[in-house]
Each structure stands twice: as structure tokens, then as C-alpha cells.
Amino acid sequence: MEKENAPSSKGKVVGKSEKQPIYKPTVVAYDQWAPTYDTDGNFLQFLDSIMMREMLPQLTGLLPPKAMIVDLGCGTGRTTLALLRLPNVRLVGLDNSRGMLDIATARCNQTLASLPKDGRVATLNFETWDMLDRANHVPEVAKNADAVVSTLVVEHIPLDVFFEACSSMLKRGGVLLLTNMHPDMGAETQAGFTDPASGEKVRPVSYVHTIKKTVEEAKKWSFEVIWGPKKRGVREDDLEKLGGRAKKWFGKKVWFGMILRLKKA
């Protein structure tokens, strides 16, 4: 059962033998996480990438030729890499972590160099942008987008701030692909990592967003759901693919996703 939307910045009660997590501002935590983000066995990222194989064709079927897409909260470029093979698309990656963006830029430029010109995006730009700083307006390069893709990001953002940012980027009639940690999982844990150098458990500020509250807030900003919401748990056939950390979540819902459209009027 979904629980109500609530910030998660204090963590669970832990035993004396366990290290207490250290809570840091999101940008600070992700800068620190960047070097190990893609290699620390985060099964939710793996599952999200699996679900993108279903969602991205749904999204691209809604786009005009030579579309402009913003990967909002692109991180190290995990989803950006999947978008690089869309011909004639103008692609923009935004993130508030410079450390994450440096990795995304390097890995995406390397992949682009290996793709034929007729099998790759027309342009690729990365910019640092913090949507939590509401005085910091949307970068010009990200305005009038045909689509915004934002995967496993809204956990760290209040819903009103998130949908305001997306509505500011999109053209009327544009579409938003959104994925997030399921609230059943969010009630027990949150995004975070163990720093390999210090051994400290680091947690950014997170929020438990229910699907109901997410859809309700989206409607306030003139979005309508056109695909989903779809929920996903860890299934038996996932365990080998997702790695050891997925075992404790077997049979539980851990992910949800949806595609929304910004109404034309």
C-alpha cells in the first residue's frame, strides 16, 4: 500500500553496530557519489534501464521529426546514452552535479564518436542546472523542448518544483517521461551509497512520492497521463540480472513510471 508523501532526511533507526548515515545536500552527495555511481551495484538503476526499453519506444513514437529532448537530472548519462541513437534529435542533458556531468560528457562523447552520422543525435549539449534554486531559470538551450526525460530524479525534488521545471521547458503538447522509486520501497530506504574511501554511508535529501500525489500534482501544472502509471516489482527472473542487492526486495514493488503530456490549452 502506498504511504503519503513525506521527506526522508533522517533515515531509519539503526543498531549500535551499524554506521549512522550522513545526510548531505543533494549536489554535494552526488558529486561524492559520481566516481562509483555506475559500479556500486545499484539494482534500481539496472531495473530502470530494463524498463526504458519499453518506455522509450512509447516516447519516441509521440515525437515530431528533429525533436528536442531534455534529459533532466541526467547524472552520469545512463539514460542519455540510450537517447544518443535517435537520428536528427537535439539532445540536452541537465544536472546539478558537476561531477556527474563530467562523467556523462566523457562517456557520451566517446559513444557518439563511434556512431554513424545518420544513426545519432544531431546535437548534444550538457549544462549544470539546479532546479531546486528557483531563482536560477531554465537554461535557454533547454527551452521549448518536445520531450523531457527524467529517470529516478524526482525522489530528490518536491513535486511542485519538479513539475514547474518540466512545464517551463516543454512546448505545449510536449511529453514527459518520468520514473521513480516506488513509495513502498521509499518507505524503507532511499538513494545513497557507501563512500569507499571513508566507509561512511552518505544520503542525499529524499522524498517519498506516492503515485497518487505525483499524478495530482502533475494535473495542477496542466499535465495529463497518457501512458501508465506502471508499477514494477522484483521478480524471480530478475534476480540474476539485477544482482545480489535485489534479493531482499523480491516480491516487493520498487519502481514506477509514466508518460505525461503538457496540455495544449
Side-chain angles (χ1 to χ4, degrees):
M1 180 180 294
E2 292 185 11
K3 297 183 179 180
E4 286 305 305
N5 179 37
S8 176
S9 59
K10 293 184 178 180
K12 299 184 294 179
V13 176
V14 296
K16 291 182 180 178
S17 62
E18 296 182 64
K19 281 195 172 184
Q20 293 279 1
I22 298 171
Y23 291 89
K24 298 186 177 183
T26 301
V27 65
V28 175
Y30 274 90
D31 275 339
Q32 187 177 349
W33 197 355
T36 59
Y37 185 76
D38 295 307
T39 58
D40 71 353
N42 186 329
F43 83 89
L44 193 60
Q45 293 177 43
F46 301 152
L47 181 58
D48 191 70
S49 293
I50 290 171
M51 298 308 298
M52 283 301 99
R53 297 171 196 163
E54 179 179 348
M55 292 187 76
L56 284 179
Q58 298 288 333
L59 177 79
T60 55
L62 299 169
L63 299 180
K66 301 181 180 180
M68 200 267 270
I69 302 175
V70 176
D71 187 356
L72 178 59
C74 64
T76 58
R78 175 178 58 87
T79 304
T80 321
L81 285 169
L83 298 169
L84 289 181
R85 292 171 171 79
L86 298 178
N88 301 316
V89 161
R90 293 165 291 144
L91 182 57
V92 177
L94 300 179
D95 204 276
N96 64 357
S97 166
R98 187 67 254 174
M100 290 281 193
L101 279 179
D102 286 345
I103 294 172
T105 301
R107 71 194 302 202
C108 288
N109 284 339
Q110 182 179 22
T111 299
L112 272 182
S114 69
L115 296 176
K117 288 188 177 181
D118 61 353
R120 50 170 281 181
V121 295
T123 62
L124 173 64
N125 292 286
F126 288 104
E127 281 207 26
T128 307
W129 184 64
D130 186 355
M131 75 178 96
L132 288 169
D133 181 1
R134 300 180 89 162
N136 186 10
H137 299 298
V138 172
E140 288 297 322
V141 71
K143 291 181 178 179
N144 296 312
D146 297 289
V148 170
V149 174
S150 192
T151 59
L152 304 182
V153 171
V154 73
E155 173 190 348
H156 303 298
I157 310 293
L159 288 173
D160 61 331
V161 175
F162 178 80
F163 284 112
E164 179 183 27
C166 293
S167 65
S168 298
M169 293 177 190
L170 283 167
K171 297 175 181 176
R172 287 285 173 174
V175 290
L176 165 63
L177 184 156
L178 160 68
T179 72
N180 196 40
M181 180 186 290
H182 192 280
D184 287 1
M185 184 178 181
E188 298 184 45
T189 190
Q190 66 176 101
F193 67 102
T194 299
D195 184 85
S198 66
E200 66 182 14
K201 294 182 178 180
V202 180
R203 300 288 184 267
V205 174
S206 293
Y207 299 83
V208 181
H209 296 312
T210 69
I211 297 173
K212 180 181 178 183
K213 291 288 187 182
T214 301
V215 172
E216 287 176 352
E217 187 63 35
K219 289 179 179 177
K220 294 177 185 178
W221 296 93
S222 298
F223 284 97
E224 59 183 345
V225 177
I226 58 174
W227 184 93
K230 184 163 188 174
K231 309 168 194 175
R232 183 69 149 76
V234 175
R235 306 186 302 223
E236 188 171 357
D237 61 342
D238 291 323
L239 295 177
E240 185 175 348
K241 294 178 288 186
L242 299 181
R245 288 168 61 183
K247 290 181 180 178
K248 69 172 286 188
W249 300 101
F250 174 66
K252 298 180 180 180
K253 293 183 177 66
V254 297
W255 176 97
F256 74 86
M258 64 186 82
I259 299 175
L260 309 98
R261 189 191 304 276
L262 184 63
K263 294 179 183 178
K264 291 185 177 181

